[in-house]
Amino acid sequence: MIIQPRTRGFICLTAHPDGALQAVKNQIEYVKSKGKIKNGPKKVLVIGASTGFGLSSRIAAAFGSDAATIGVFFEKPASEGKMGTAGWYNSAAFEKEAHAAGLCAKSINGDAFSDDIKKQTIDLIKKDLGQVDLVVYSLASPRRTHPKTGVAYASVLKPIGQPFTNKTVDFHTGVVSDITINPVENDEDIANTIAVMGGEDWKFWIEDLKAAGVLAEGVKTVAYSYIGPELTFPIYRNGTIGQAKNDLEATVPVLNELLKDLHGVSYVSVNKALVTQSSSAIPVVPLYISLLYKVMKAKGTHEGTIEQMQRLFADRLYTENGDVALDSEGRIRIDDWEMAEDVQAEVAKYWDKVTTETLAEISDIDGYRKEFFNLFGFELEGVDYEKDTDENVKVPSIE
Ligand code: NAD
Ligand code: NA
């Protein structure tokens, strides 16, 4: 079929398999251009491996360090004339390229929060890899069914305490307007968000993997967090999602204790704000990102998910002398270039000036829009979108 983008709000309902393949190939080329990661990971489990930071982590491990990878994700293949999801096509593309390069790559599609998917993953590790030496935890989800109690939690993106009013942009129309987001009405919204995006499931994974004996001596595990500028604090770091990130970060010492006898270590890496399916759903943040992109591109310090993950592996997690640089709170910071004083000062200056009228000139809204469509395999150079394409692409390792 001929596949065109079809959007509803910040969601794209369609995805293009050939475009996804091109996007994955572009990421692979970038990683190869940086050379091999010395002392990098060899057997890697990526939880949330199909899009965003997780996909780029998988590509950086495989093509930067010749790692065998198992990817876990929650995506849909095509069925009855409906196309598959972007993450499905990304994973099909990744496996195709990995296998062509002689790399072991297997995938599991299902709910990573469930005990069943954890068990399936452990069985697959036992069968194919024996043990893993790196576990990347990169889930982003609006809901989680608790595996022990069956309770279904839904996360919310709200401020805490008082309403938050700031500018936001509709990146399809370029209209900048004020938005007011009311705070949570009760602590339950906070607890629910922590239950979905906090550290409990990461802990469950590491506990189960350890109990099954599939974590290698010296194993590392890393999960991703965000801080960002003061102007997004009320909706992000000091909001409900920020409470979940605090919980995720507080899980690090718990996991370090758990991994002690294996001489294993856990980390949270604070990553840069980037266009992903998850971040486009947060109010205010897309306008910040479009100003940030403009400033960082002008300075030559802009990075996408693959540049971030390649740098995380090569310059943070797997350094030549084994040292891992941490901030005063014990976190890895690869948001360092985003948070640089000169960058933030310029973004703040533009933030005051940005309106519907000035948006095109002072922000990189075009870059934002293009990256958004790129996430779904659209608007990539070298792809013939007029050509009939087969939507029934399979992920080779999935029946
Ligand atoms: P994303 O939406 O691109 O990726 C989410 C991944 O989780 C996908 O692979 C999806 O299939 C998987 N997933 C979701 N629910 C699942 C489930 N129930 N079972 C199995 N897999 C499931 O998101 P992202 O932006 O790459 O986010 C990954 C992490 O990085 C999150 O912790 C996020 O907070 C963090 N982060 C994001 C940004 C940003 O700007 N995007 C910045 C810093 C940190
Ligand atoms: Na991800």
Side-chain angles (χ1 to χ4, degrees):
M1 60 165 84
I2 308 282
I3 305 175
Q4 303 282 353
R6 201 147 48 80
T7 59
R8 187 190 298 143
F10 50 78
I11 292 168
C12 187
L13 302 165
T14 54
H16 201 288
D18 303 344
L21 177 60
Q22 186 60 51
V24 165
K25 280 183 175 170
N26 293 348
Q27 292 200 29
I28 291 170
E29 281 317 306
Y30 174 77
V31 170
K32 284 186 177 169
S33 78
K34 301 299 281 185
K36 287 286 176 228
I37 297 162
K38 294 194 188 78
N39 316 314
K42 289 294 166 214
K43 295 175 179 182
V44 180
L45 169 63
V46 182
I47 303 156
S50 54
T51 58
F53 283 110
L55 173 65
S56 294
S57 303
R58 190 177 195 185
I59 293 171
F63 290 90
S65 185
D66 298 321
T69 59
I70 292 177
V72 180
F73 45 76
F74 209 6
E75 303 290 351
K76 284 200 185 83
S79 68
E80 291 144 20
K82 274 185 73 181
M83 62 218 70
T85 55
W88 179 266
Y89 294 138
N90 289 339
S91 302
F94 172 81
E95 278 201 14
K96 182 175 175 223
E97 294 300 307
H99 297 165
L103 297 165
C104 173
K106 298 277 177 86
S107 303
I108 290 185
N109 188 29
D111 181 8
F113 295 128
S114 70
D115 285 342
D116 179 49
I117 288 295
K118 290 181 175 76
K119 187 174 176 305
Q120 283 185 40
T121 306
I122 287 165
D123 290 346
L124 186 60
I125 295 172
K126 282 184 178 163
K127 184 165 125 311
D128 282 10
L129 307 181
Q131 293 184 321
V132 290
D133 55 58
L134 173 66
V135 179
V136 175
Y137 188 83
S138 187
L139 291 185
S141 172
R143 62 191 74 85
R144 167 178 175 230
T145 300
H146 197 283
K148 316 294 175 196
T149 63
V151 175
Y153 297 99
S155 67
V156 300
L157 285 165
K158 287 185 183 172
I160 296 169
Q162 52 271 343
F164 173 53
T165 301
N166 214 324
K167 295 177 187 181
T168 197
V169 68
D170 177 333
F171 60 85
H172 295 299
T173 61
V175 172
V176 176
S177 61
D178 274 345
I179 184 172
T180 297
I181 309 144
N182 286 321
V184 293
E185 277 163 23
N186 49 52
D187 289 349
E188 210 176 307
D189 276 344
I190 302 172
N192 291 350
T193 306
I194 293 172
V196 178
M197 288 295 286
E200 189 184 44
D201 182 62
W202 185 23
K203 186 174 102 209
F204 284 174
W205 268 101
I206 299 301
E207 283 174 347
D208 287 6
L209 292 164
K210 189 188 176 201
V214 296
L215 296 179
E217 174 79 18
V219 66
K220 292 181 195 244
T221 182
V222 63
Y224 301 137
S225 189
Y226 183 65
I227 297 175
E230 257 172 65
L231 73 93
T232 64
F233 275 5
I235 186 67
Y236 200 94
R237 194 65 208 202
N238 294 339
T240 48
I241 181 71
Q243 301 305 303
K245 290 303 183 192
N246 288 344
D247 185 74
L248 184 80
E249 292 172 18
T251 305
V252 166
V254 178
L255 297 187
N256 282 340
E257 190 58 35
L258 195 66
L259 295 173
K260 211 158 73 180
D261 54 339
L262 291 171
H263 303 104
V265 205
S266 75
Y267 299 101
V268 158
S269 170
V270 182
N271 299 350
K272 179 196 184 195
L274 283 170
V275 182
T276 66
Q277 293 185 47
S278 301
S279 66
S280 57
I282 309 174
V284 184
V285 169
L287 182 58
Y288 165 72
I289 291 179
S290 65
L291 293 172
L292 180 73
Y293 275 28
K294 178 83 167 192
V295 171
M296 293 185 81
K297 283 180 182 175
K299 288 184 187 294
T301 58
H302 175 70
E303 297 175 294
T305 54
I306 194 62
E307 288 84 357
Q308 281 265 292
M309 294 299 95
Q310 198 281 335
R311 192 157 69 93
L312 171 67
F313 282 36
D315 295 356
R316 297 292 193 276
L317 284 174
Y318 300 98
T319 56
E320 263 175 78
N321 64 8
D323 290 350
V324 180
L326 302 175
D327 71 7
S328 58
E329 313 291 315
R331 302 171 295 209
I332 293 173
R333 302 297 296 266
I334 47 164
D335 65 339
D336 48 348
W337 299 349
E338 168 183 0
M339 299 313 288
E341 253 175 65
D342 58 331
V343 168
Q344 286 301 321
E346 274 189 54
V347 171
K349 195 178 77 196
Y350 289 130
W351 186 264
D352 292 335
K353 292 192 185 139
V354 71
T355 61
T356 305
E357 289 67 41
T358 61
L359 181 73
E361 190 197 326
I362 68 176
S363 86
D364 185 31
I365 195 69
D366 290 341
Y368 189 103
R369 256 196 81 260
K370 186 164 194 285
E371 267 194 33
F372 176 80
F373 285 106
N374 287 171
L375 297 176
F376 301 91
F378 298 110
E379 298 189 22
L380 281 129
E381 273 103 69
V383 177
D384 181 0
Y385 291 102
E386 305 303 316
K387 201 186 88 194
D388 203 27
T389 184
D390 177 14
E391 75 276 15
N392 293 302
V393 180
K394 289 207 161 51
V395 175
S397 74
I398 296 177
E399 292 309 309

